[in-house]
Amino acid sequence: MASIEDILELEALEKDIFRGAVHPSVLKRTFGGQVAGQSLVSAVRTVDETFRVHSLHGYFLRPGNPTEPTVYLVDRIRDGRSFCTRRVTGIQDGKAIFTMSASFHAEDAGIEHQDTMPSVPDPEELVDAQTVEEFANTELYQEWKEWDVRIIPSDAVKPIPGIAAQQRVWMRYRNKLPDDQVLHICTLAYLSDITLLGASKVPHPGVVTQTASLDHAMWFMRPFRADEWLLYDQTSPSAGFGRALTQGRMFDQNGAMVAAVVQEGLTRIQRDQNKNDIETGNMA
């Protein structure tokens, strides 16, 4: 499979128009994290380097075809002294498959606080899924073999009273990445979609659902590296009518909260409960 650097490398076709290449995939639909990551790269390329992306809000409009390239059209909505805003539309076959708004900030001095990172086992104490034959040979884990994903067992997750569903995952990119914070941010946009919707399925073991990301929002708080361990603390406060709301907080190993994510996804009951559906590729 392609490296994250290759996936996030875009071709400039014209001013504010970019194209993402086709990469091998076992998925029937283009992975949502790939579209989000590439969209963010295209937006970043139109903003002065003195600005850093602090948030993005995206909607998955149509399923993407993983065998076709995606073209990204960037609209320069605003260029201010402190903030810049970009709108990106991902196009395949003349139709929009994804739209994103991204906001950039020049950064200022201000108040500071954050939540405390949950107490969890260290990633080194957990099993690397790639070393477990039953997982390593599956198509989904082969899709993301460049990622070290270690789901914390449910018996090691202390239940929080009143929380409907929760899941915690350690994640990192296996290979060393360049010292480019923009690359790490766009990489995080990619990985943020891998396991999040799975948090909604924790209270429903054995129930097969048709899943797809519907919308995705992220906020970036502090510098981090995507090739170092990040704890993805995930919850699903509500599910119903074929949709589930999920949210996550990301911490580095020093306890700094580096990002927050909110996503709504399709979780429609699969009519054929024995069907192996890997259309969207959401792990867990």
Side-chain angles (χ1 to χ4, degrees), residues 9-20 45 72:
E9 181 61 36
L10 303 183
E11 176 187 2
L13 299 180
E14 182 55 88
K15 180 180 179 180
D16 299 344
I17 302 177
F18 306 88
R19 179 169 58 196
R45 288 197 180 181
Y72 299 93

Side-chain angles (χ1 to χ4, degrees), residues 1-28:
M1 296 299 173
S3 69
I4 192 64
E5 294 109 312
D6 289 338
I7 290 172
L8 296 178
E9 181 61 36
L10 303 183
E11 176 187 2
L13 299 180
E14 182 55 88
K15 180 180 179 180
D16 299 344
I17 302 177
F18 306 88
R19 179 169 58 196
V22 174
H23 300 285
S25 175
V26 302
L27 305 180
K28 298 177 183 178

Side-chain angles (χ1 to χ4, degrees), residues 29-275:
R29 301 176 181 177
T30 307
F31 174 53
Q34 174 177 315
V35 179
Q38 290 180 342
S39 292
L40 187 56
V41 171
S42 65
V44 167
R45 288 197 180 181
T46 69
V47 176
D48 188 273
E49 62 182 13
T50 58
F51 289 83
R52 293 291 182 89
V53 60
H54 71 91
S55 69
L56 63 84
H57 299 257
Y59 285 90
F60 298 92
L61 306 176
R62 293 181 176 88
N65 184 343
T67 66
E68 293 185 4
T70 303
V71 173
Y72 299 93
L73 311 180
V74 182
D75 290 327
R76 302 184 183 224
I77 304 301
R78 180 194 182 207
D79 284 298
R81 288 185 298 177
S82 296
F83 290 90
C84 292
T85 305
R86 297 291 185 264
R87 182 172 58 228
V88 184
T89 304
I91 305 289
Q92 279 190 348
D93 195 27
K95 297 179 180 179
I97 66 169
F98 181 73
T99 182
M100 169 192 287
S101 293
S103 182
F104 298 78
H105 185 209
E107 299 186 355
D108 296 307
I111 62 172
E112 293 188 20
H113 65 259
Q114 69 156 72
D115 288 347
T116 301
M117 184 176 77
S119 178
V120 297
D122 291 334
E124 291 78 8
E125 300 176 25
L126 304 173
V127 176
D128 179 352
Q130 290 290 340
T131 66
V132 181
E133 185 175 357
E134 63 178 298
F135 293 114
N137 292 331
T138 64
E139 291 178 311
L140 283 184
Y141 276 97
Q142 287 301 308
E143 181 79 13
W144 292 297
K145 63 182 180 180
E146 301 295 332
W147 293 98
D148 195 340
V149 179
R150 305 192 184 193
I151 299 174
I152 299 174
S154 56
D155 58 4
V157 177
K158 184 178 180 180
I160 303 175
I163 299 297
Q166 65 182 110
Q167 175 176 260
R168 289 171 181 155
V169 185
W170 283 108
M171 308 177 79
R172 68 174 175 180
Y173 192 67
R174 292 182 184 275
N175 302 319
K176 183 75 171 179
L177 293 173
D179 295 331
D180 178 1
Q181 186 61 199
V182 172
L183 173 63
H184 289 268
I185 288 174
C186 294
T187 297
L188 194 67
Y190 179 98
L191 80 85
S192 65
D193 190 39
I194 292 179
T195 64
L196 185 55
L197 198 53
S200 67
K201 300 175 69 174
V202 171
H204 312 282
V207 179
V208 180
T209 59
Q210 179 186 358
T211 59
S213 302
L214 297 176
D215 59 23
H216 196 85
M218 292 189 72
W219 294 263
F220 304 95
M221 287 87 162
R222 294 171 179 84
F224 61 89
R225 295 191 62 92
D227 54 5
E228 295 180 354
W229 287 114
L230 296 171
L231 176 66
Y232 204 172
D233 181 30
Q234 307 167 340
T235 60
S236 177
S238 180
F241 303 99
R243 304 187 312 277
L245 180 67
T246 54
Q247 54 194 20
R249 304 176 300 170
M250 292 186 174
F251 299 86
D252 65 19
Q253 278 195 290
N254 294 321
M257 184 176 175
V258 302
V261 189
V262 175
Q263 181 184 87
E264 186 180 39
L266 180 72
T267 51
R268 187 161 49 205
I269 297 295
Q270 185 73 266
R271 291 182 180 179
D272 182 359
Q273 290 288 295
N274 295 316
K275 181 181 178 182

